[in-house]
């Protein structure tokens, strides 16, 4: 063999061994990368699940705080007749009792169907809405002070929220009659009884 010439027969085994080693190393490297990528994906999945669990736990904790804070007030408003079904029969009973206590000579009333109350403001009330039942009140009075006493009794004793939209009074005769059943003053008022409940669109149904 001349100088500088390679003995390929001697090197062939080494070259084959090198190629095999490179192939094995490549396969091992690819397998290692695949295993690492799989583990990294699993780790990210576990991190995401942990963050989701923490977020859900925090939301649940916040909901518990909200319930603990507002539930007693909600129950109180419900007991007062502000939240829930309208107390139409109760309103009428209180009106009649108040009229008897004030000794109103004449009492007539008409109560309309409950309707959504338009506040004119943008309010985020969720599934709930404010509803109003309007009553037209026509009474005969001995004197003007009886109307104030009648409305004051209603405000103190009626369930829920109550408001007066307006009243109009007029004398029925030039001469004042002092008999207990005399109607010296005629008064017409529009009263509103307010209730907060789930809106019809949210499945609250009718509260009439």
């Amino acid at each position: 063999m001349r100088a500088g010439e390679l003995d390929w027969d001697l090197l062939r085994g080494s070259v084959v061994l090198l190629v095999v080693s490179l192939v094995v190393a490549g396969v091992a490297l690819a397998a290692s990368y695949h295993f690492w990528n799989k583990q990294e994906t699993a780790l990210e999945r576990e991190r995401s699940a942990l963050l989701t669990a923490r977020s859900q736990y925090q939301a649940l904790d916040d909901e518990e705080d909200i319930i603990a804070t507002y539930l007693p007030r909600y129950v109180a408003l419900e007991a007062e007749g502000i939240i829930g079904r309208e107390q139409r029969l109760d309103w009428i009973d209180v009106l009649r009792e108040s009229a008897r206590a004030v000794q109103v000579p004449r009492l007539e009333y008409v109560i309309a169907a409950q309707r959504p109350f338009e506040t004119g403001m943008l309010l985020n009330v969720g599934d709930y809405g404010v509803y109003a039942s309007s009553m037209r009140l026509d009474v005969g009075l001995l004197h003007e002070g009886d109307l104030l006493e009648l409305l004051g009794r209603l405000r103190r004793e009626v369930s829920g929220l109550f408001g007066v939209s307006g009243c109009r009074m007029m004398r029925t005769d030039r001469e004042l009659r002092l008999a207990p059943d005399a109607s010296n003053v005629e008064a017409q008022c529009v009263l509103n009884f307010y209730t907060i409940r789930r809106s019809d669109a949210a499945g609250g149904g009718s509260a009439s």
Side-chain angles (χ1 to χ4, degrees):
M1 181 177 66
R2 298 177 182 178
E5 291 182 354
L6 297 177
D7 189 347
W8 291 108
D9 291 334
L10 295 176
L11 294 177
R12 185 180 296 111
S14 299
V15 171
V16 171
L17 181 61
L18 176 61
V19 171
V20 171
S21 299
L22 290 175
V23 171
V24 172
V27 171
L29 183 61
S32 299
Y33 177 78
H34 176 72
F35 177 77
W36 175 84
N37 188 57
K38 184 177 180 181
Q39 293 300 109
E40 184 69 15
T41 301
L43 180 60
E44 288 298 324
R45 190 183 303 113
E46 292 299 322
R47 285 176 180 171
S48 178
L50 179 60
L51 290 176
T52 300
R54 285 179 177 175
S55 178
Q56 292 175 345
Y57 177 80
Q58 184 63 44
L60 181 61
D61 194 43
D62 293 341
E63 288 179 1
E64 290 179 350
D65 290 341
I66 292 174
I67 291 174
T69 300
Y70 293 104
L71 181 59
R73 182 55 179 162
Y74 180 92
V75 172
L77 292 174
E78 194 173 38
E80 293 171 11
I82 296 175
I83 294 179
R85 298 177 64 87
E86 65 172 349
Q87 307 295 320
R88 181 174 295 235
L89 295 179
D90 177 71
W91 300 335
I92 294 174
D93 288 342
V94 171
L95 175 61
R96 290 173 174 172
E97 288 294 330
S98 299
R100 279 194 289 266
V102 179
Q103 296 182 344
V104 171
R106 184 176 61 82
L107 172 67
E108 297 178 6
Y109 58 86
V110 176
I111 185 167
Q114 191 181 62
R115 297 177 179 274
F117 178 67
E118 300 296 337
T119 62
M121 298 181 293
L122 294 177
L123 300 176
N124 183 14
V125 294
D127 292 340
Y128 286 79
V130 180
Y131 292 79
S133 301
S134 180
M135 175 188 288
R136 179 180 174 82
L137 182 65
D138 192 348
V139 292
L141 307 167
L142 182 63
H143 55 81
E144 293 86 345
D146 287 345
L147 179 62
L148 297 178
E149 186 176 353
L150 176 64
L151 296 179
R153 284 179 175 270
L154 285 176
R155 193 177 301 277
R156 291 191 303 270
E157 299 177 16
V158 79
S159 299
L161 297 175
F162 161 76
V164 180
S165 294
C167 288
R168 183 171 62 91
M169 291 189 295
M170 65 183 69
R171 294 288 299 269
T172 59
D173 201 339
R174 291 185 177 181
E175 294 184 4
L176 180 64
R177 293 179 295 165
L178 300 180
D181 60 347
S183 294
N184 294 305
V185 179
E186 296 287 337
Q188 292 85 37
C189 296
V190 177
L191 314 180
N192 285 318
F193 299 89
Y194 302 100
T195 305
I196 299 173
R197 64 174 175 83
R198 286 176 63 87
S199 63
D200 297 336
S206 175
S208 298

